[in-house]
mmCIF file of all heavy atoms in Angstrom:
data_model
loop_
_atom_site.group_PDB
_atom_site.id
_atom_site.type_symbol
_atom_site.label_atom_id
_atom_site.label_comp_id
_atom_site.label_asym_id
_atom_site.label_seq_id
_atom_site.Cartn_x
_atom_site.Cartn_y
_atom_site.Cartn_z
ATOM 1 N N ALA A 27 11.355 -24.446 -16.447
ATOM 2 C CA ALA A 27 10.319 -23.611 -17.067
ATOM 3 C C ALA A 27 10.880 -22.591 -18.062
ATOM 4 O O ALA A 27 10.104 -21.891 -18.710
ATOM 5 C CB ALA A 27 9.531 -22.885 -15.995
ATOM 6 N N THR A 28 12.201 -22.525 -18.199
ATOM 7 C CA THR A 28 12.818 -21.539 -19.089
ATOM 8 C C THR A 28 12.428 -21.798 -20.534
ATOM 9 O O THR A 28 12.460 -22.969 -20.980
ATOM 10 C CB THR A 28 14.362 -21.599 -18.956
ATOM 11 O OG1 THR A 28 14.708 -21.246 -17.608
ATOM 12 C CG2 THR A 28 15.039 -20.661 -19.937
ATOM 13 N N PRO A 29 12.090 -20.761 -21.329
ATOM 14 C CA PRO A 29 11.824 -20.973 -22.746
ATOM 15 C C PRO A 29 13.076 -21.542 -23.447
ATOM 16 O O PRO A 29 14.173 -21.038 -23.236
ATOM 17 C CB PRO A 29 11.496 -19.555 -23.256
ATOM 18 C CG PRO A 29 11.033 -18.830 -22.047
ATOM 19 C CD PRO A 29 11.842 -19.368 -20.901
ATOM 20 N N SER A 30 12.900 -22.555 -24.242
ATOM 21 C CA SER A 30 14.003 -23.151 -24.987
ATOM 22 C C SER A 30 14.196 -22.399 -26.301
ATOM 23 O O SER A 30 13.495 -21.450 -26.591
ATOM 24 C CB SER A 30 13.721 -24.632 -25.264
ATOM 25 O OG SER A 30 12.764 -24.745 -26.300
ATOM 26 N N LEU A 31 15.131 -22.880 -27.099
ATOM 27 C CA LEU A 31 15.301 -22.309 -28.453
ATOM 28 C C LEU A 31 14.349 -22.924 -29.460
ATOM 29 O O LEU A 31 14.344 -22.524 -30.612
ATOM 30 C CB LEU A 31 16.746 -22.534 -28.932
ATOM 31 C CG LEU A 31 17.892 -21.906 -28.138
ATOM 32 C CD1 LEU A 31 19.212 -22.120 -28.863
ATOM 33 C CD2 LEU A 31 17.636 -20.425 -27.886
ATOM 34 N N CYS A 32 13.558 -23.888 -29.008
ATOM 35 C CA CYS A 32 12.666 -24.627 -29.915
ATOM 36 C C CYS A 32 11.244 -24.085 -29.835
ATOM 37 O O CYS A 32 10.431 -24.557 -29.042
ATOM 38 C CB CYS A 32 12.683 -26.109 -29.570
ATOM 39 S SG CYS A 32 11.742 -27.136 -30.706
ATOM 40 N N GLY A 33 10.965 -23.088 -30.651
ATOM 41 C CA GLY A 33 9.619 -22.561 -30.718
ATOM 42 C C GLY A 33 9.087 -22.105 -29.384
ATOM 43 O O GLY A 33 9.748 -21.422 -28.631
ATOM 44 N N ALA A 34 7.859 -22.534 -29.066
ATOM 45 C CA ALA A 34 7.200 -22.117 -27.834
ATOM 46 C C ALA A 34 7.431 -23.103 -26.694
ATOM 47 O O ALA A 34 6.852 -22.950 -25.620
ATOM 48 C CB ALA A 34 5.696 -21.962 -28.071
ATOM 49 N N TRP A 35 8.262 -24.134 -26.926
ATOM 50 C CA TRP A 35 8.479 -25.149 -25.906
ATOM 51 C C TRP A 35 9.416 -24.636 -24.805
ATOM 52 O O TRP A 35 10.384 -23.935 -25.074
ATOM 53 C CB TRP A 35 9.074 -26.412 -26.504
ATOM 54 C CG TRP A 35 8.052 -27.314 -27.138
ATOM 55 C CD1 TRP A 35 6.698 -27.206 -27.043
ATOM 56 C CD2 TRP A 35 8.325 -28.466 -27.946
ATOM 57 N NE1 TRP A 35 6.111 -28.238 -27.735
ATOM 58 C CE2 TRP A 35 7.088 -29.005 -28.299
ATOM 59 C CE3 TRP A 35 9.486 -29.079 -28.382
ATOM 60 C CZ2 TRP A 35 6.974 -30.156 -29.097
ATOM 61 C CZ3 TRP A 35 9.390 -30.219 -29.165
ATOM 62 C CH2 TRP A 35 8.136 -30.748 -29.527
ATOM 63 N N SER A 36 9.141 -25.058 -23.599
ATOM 64 C CA SER A 36 10.048 -24.816 -22.468
ATOM 65 C C SER A 36 11.144 -25.867 -22.473
ATOM 66 O O SER A 36 11.094 -26.864 -23.216
ATOM 67 C CB SER A 36 9.270 -24.892 -21.148
ATOM 68 O OG SER A 36 8.795 -26.235 -20.932
ATOM 69 N N VAL A 37 12.115 -25.692 -21.591
ATOM 70 C CA VAL A 37 13.165 -26.695 -21.422
ATOM 71 C C VAL A 37 12.525 -28.071 -21.098
ATOM 72 O O VAL A 37 12.910 -29.079 -21.663
ATOM 73 C CB VAL A 37 14.124 -26.272 -20.287
ATOM 74 C CG1 VAL A 37 14.963 -27.444 -19.790
ATOM 75 C CG2 VAL A 37 15.043 -25.155 -20.787
#
Side-chain angles (χ1 to χ4, degrees):
T28 297
S30 75
L31 298 186
C32 185
W35 278 351
S36 66
V37 163

